[in-house]
Amino acid sequence: MIDVHYVTFDCARPYELATFWSRATGWEIHPETEVDDDEVLVSGAPNLLFIRVPEGKSVKNRVHLDVNGSGGTTRDQEVERLAGLGATVHEDRRRPDGSGWVVMLDPEGNEFCVCRADYEKQP
């Protein structure tokens, strides 16, 4: 059995991308972080680690995060909030019956999906 310690993102601008994900999740950036650090940690469950790499993103992510609202926010409210933070809608896979998800891109083009929270689903 293992514990997931970090989910790591290769990126060009670690501090900027960590700031987006910190605002998206409400989790804190490690307090000793400097703006020009090559590694930036966002403490959460799991921790998110952003590491500067020289090459850019060139293909679809093989691993991505699925997220949903909390505290009563809906999938659609979260899509709007995340877009306001700098994410973009990549594919809208919502269905007329309310099921489905929205594929979004973070500011460096990493895919993630916004799904409905369990409290949004009809019995």
Side-chain angles (χ1 to χ4, degrees):
M1 199 177 292
I2 62 170
D3 289 327
V4 175
H5 189 60
Y6 298 121
V7 174
T8 302
F9 293 74
D10 291 349
C11 56
R13 297 178 320 278
Y15 186 83
E16 290 84 354
L17 194 55
T19 298
F20 166 80
W21 281 103
S22 173
R23 290 177 179 155
T25 61
W27 300 342
E28 297 292 322
I29 292 176
H30 190 278
E32 295 175 15
T33 300
E34 301 289 333
V35 174
D36 59 349
D37 284 350
D38 288 332
E39 296 182 8
V40 178
L41 176 66
V42 175
S43 299
N47 296 301
L48 304 178
L49 181 62
F50 301 87
I51 297 178
R52 186 182 320 276
V53 297
E55 65 276 356
K57 182 178 179 302
S58 60
V59 298
K60 182 181 183 299
N61 294 22
R62 299 280 309 260
V63 175
H64 68 267
L65 302 179
D66 285 350
V67 302
N68 55 260
S70 64
T73 62
T74 67
R75 174 196 54 211
D76 299 342
Q77 290 170 324
E78 285 302 318
V79 167
E80 292 302 314
R81 185 181 74 84
L82 293 164
L85 294 175
T88 56
V89 172
H90 181 62
E91 293 180 10
D92 192 334
R93 296 185 175 224
R94 290 176 277 197
R95 298 183 190 111
D97 68 357
S99 64
W101 61 92
V102 178
V103 180
M104 298 190 81
L105 303 177
D106 72 15
E108 287 207 17
N110 299 297
E111 297 91 357
F112 65 99
C113 295
V114 183
C115 306
R116 290 190 308 170
D118 287 342
Y119 54 77
E120 292 185 78
K121 298 175 184 171
Q122 301 297 323

